Amino acid sequence: MTRSGSVWLFGGIIAVLSCFFQADARTDALIMTEPSEVNNKTSATLSCNLTNPSSEIKGHYWTRNGKVIDASKSDIKVPYTEYQIGKIDYHHSGIYACVFQTEPQVNATIEVKAAPHVAAYKHSEYGNENDRAVLVCVGSGYPLPTDWSWYKVSEDGNSKAAISNGTDDKYEIKNTPNKTTLYINNLDISGDMGKYLCLGINDQGSAEDEILLRVRSRLAALWPFLGIVAEVIILVTIIFIYEKRRKPDDIADDEDSGSAPLKSNSATNHKDKNVRQRNSN
Ligand SMILES: *[C@@H]1O[C@H](CO)[C@@H](O)[C@H](O)[C@H]1NC(C)=O
Ligand SMILES: *[C@@H]1O[C@H](CO)[C@@H](O)[C@H](O)[C@H]1NC(C)=O
Ligand SMILES: *[C@@H]1O[C@H](CO)[C@@H](O)[C@H](O)[C@H]1NC(C)=O
């Protein structure tokens, strides 16, 4: 191959390749997002800038965690859209996406992160002595907590002790991103009663909630049952006494009511007599 021949071949390859890339650039719509992610902010303006739309833009809208934000719907045919978040908290954090209504539709996502929200499933729990207590806290927001911890608050409320999983078969902790569960085995009245804290942490911050655990003695657990037994005994006694006291009245009642049938009997007797008389006539 001559020198000029190889130059031509090389040039040809470059030309084909660049043609290929140009074609690609022409058909591929591109969305530039600003910012690319929202971290530790109290408010933000999200924006998307669409270049090389594949067709006419019929409109655009935004979504949060896959749900369309109705207020963001627009049929303005521009390749640019903004969405303002006035206050970023766990309620407004999430995965946002701008969607341009072209053929096909195109979208780009922006993660808006905030500290999580943590809430006790129930703020007070009851357990019976020797039983097992189950305390639950639920996490929400974006991102969900990546770490959970539990603490027992001291009686005076001034300090807290971390609870670790599996200690003396007493505690067991089970975690999922949106939920933490603390099991307390073999409940003890003096030792386990009190306030517990659950703490959820993500890379933006943490949140906690409090649960008050009350432990009842075995005997106390019997009280409702004993109450019912006592109630039944009292009722039976009252009915018994009432029945006994009613007896003489009943006899009097029977005498009173007995006079009526007597009368009617005498009436029928008269009738019978009449009939008999008529028959004899
Ligand atoms: C969108 O991007 C284009 C090209 O990068 C740029 O020229 C234009 O100013 C951008 N528009 C806005 C509103 O940022
Ligand atoms: C706690 O220990 C149990 C049993 O060993 C285990 O199944 C569970 O995943 C542990 N929980 C945590 C939060 O490590
Ligand atoms: C926790 O997450 C699971 C799976 O992602 C989901 O099915 C469940 O509904 C969530 N629970 C709460 C309370 O958000």
Side-chain angles (χ1 to χ4, degrees):
M1 202 183 276
T2 64
R3 194 192 176 94
S4 68
S6 62
V7 166
W8 277 113
L9 184 62
F10 188 65
I13 288 168
I14 296 287
V16 165
L17 279 180
S18 65
C19 232
F20 186 74
F21 279 113
Q22 259 177 17
D24 219 39
R26 229 186 303 123
T27 54
D28 267 8
L30 181 71
I31 300 175
M32 301 287 287
T33 60
E34 178 62 38
S36 57
E37 190 179 289
V38 177
N39 278 306
N40 278 318
K41 292 253 173 63
T42 53
S43 67
T45 301
L46 314 180
S47 70
C48 284
N49 186 353
L50 172 66
T51 47
N52 295 327
S54 54
S55 72
E56 188 203 13
I57 301 162
K58 295 198 195 89
H60 51 74
Y61 57 86
W62 288 79
T63 63
R64 175 177 167 264
N65 296 335
K67 281 201 194 96
V68 175
I69 302 167
D70 285 327
S72 72
K73 283 181 179 170
S74 164
D75 51 12
I76 300 172
K77 298 167 172 44
V78 293
Y80 183 82
T81 175
E82 269 185 9
Y83 185 73
Q84 270 188 357
I85 311 172
K87 180 170 173 264
I88 299 175
D89 53 15
Y90 76 95
H91 223 75
H92 297 93
S93 60
I95 301 175
Y96 284 77
C98 57
V99 180
F100 287 100
Q101 292 164 295
T102 53
E103 287 295 332
Q105 237 173 227
V106 286
N107 67 67
T109 58
I110 301 176
E111 289 186 34
V112 177
K113 296 181 175 182
H117 180 68
V118 169
Y121 182 63
K122 274 158 77 183
H123 284 107
S124 66
E125 285 285 356
Y126 296 87
N128 292 328
E129 205 178 1
N130 301 334
D131 278 359
R132 180 162 91 153
V134 183
L135 310 186
V136 177
C137 284
V138 175
S140 53
Y142 184 84
L144 284 170
T146 45
D147 275 306
W148 287 103
S149 349
W150 283 91
Y151 299 90
K152 178 149 177 19
V153 180
S154 66
E155 235 163 90
D156 58 12
N158 291 334
S159 63
K160 57 184 187 179
I163 294 172
S164 41
N165 193 21
T167 316
D168 304 329
D169 290 333
K170 180 78 182 169
Y171 301 114
E172 195 186 333
I173 299 171
K174 282 196 180 144
N175 294 337
T176 67
N178 59 10
K179 191 169 127 182
T180 181
T181 309
L182 170 68
Y183 300 91
I184 307 172
N185 293 315
N186 196 13
L187 285 177
D188 177 66
I189 293 189
S190 55
D192 295 328
M193 195 116 86
K195 273 184 191 165
Y196 291 80
L197 281 183
C198 56
L199 178 81
I201 304 169
N202 68 13
D203 58 3
Q204 307 292 303
S206 67
E208 63 181 35
D209 205 2
E210 210 172 74
I211 300 175
L212 180 63
L213 175 65
R214 292 194 182 92
V215 182
R216 286 180 296 207
S217 74
R218 283 261 154 202
L219 192 64
L222 276 177
W223 283 353
F225 174 71
L226 292 179
I228 290 168
V229 170
E231 218 166 272
V232 168
I233 290 171
I234 290 168
L235 269 177
V236 167
T237 312
I238 288 172
I239 291 168
F240 187 74
I241 291 170
Y242 182 74
E243 284 291 321
K244 264 210 140 163
R245 291 193 52 179
R246 232 188 77 146
K247 277 267 160 70
D249 294 353
D250 280 356
I251 292 158
D253 269 5
D254 287 348
E255 277 168 356
D256 281 357
S257 59
S259 59
L262 270 179
K263 264 177 213 157
S264 69
N265 278 353
S266 67
T268 47
N269 283 350
H270 288 308
K271 232 185 266 168
D272 284 355
K273 244 185 236 167
N274 290 341
V275 171
R276 255 179 262 136
Q277 274 171 3
R278 241 180 272 149
N279 284 351
S280 66
N281 283 348

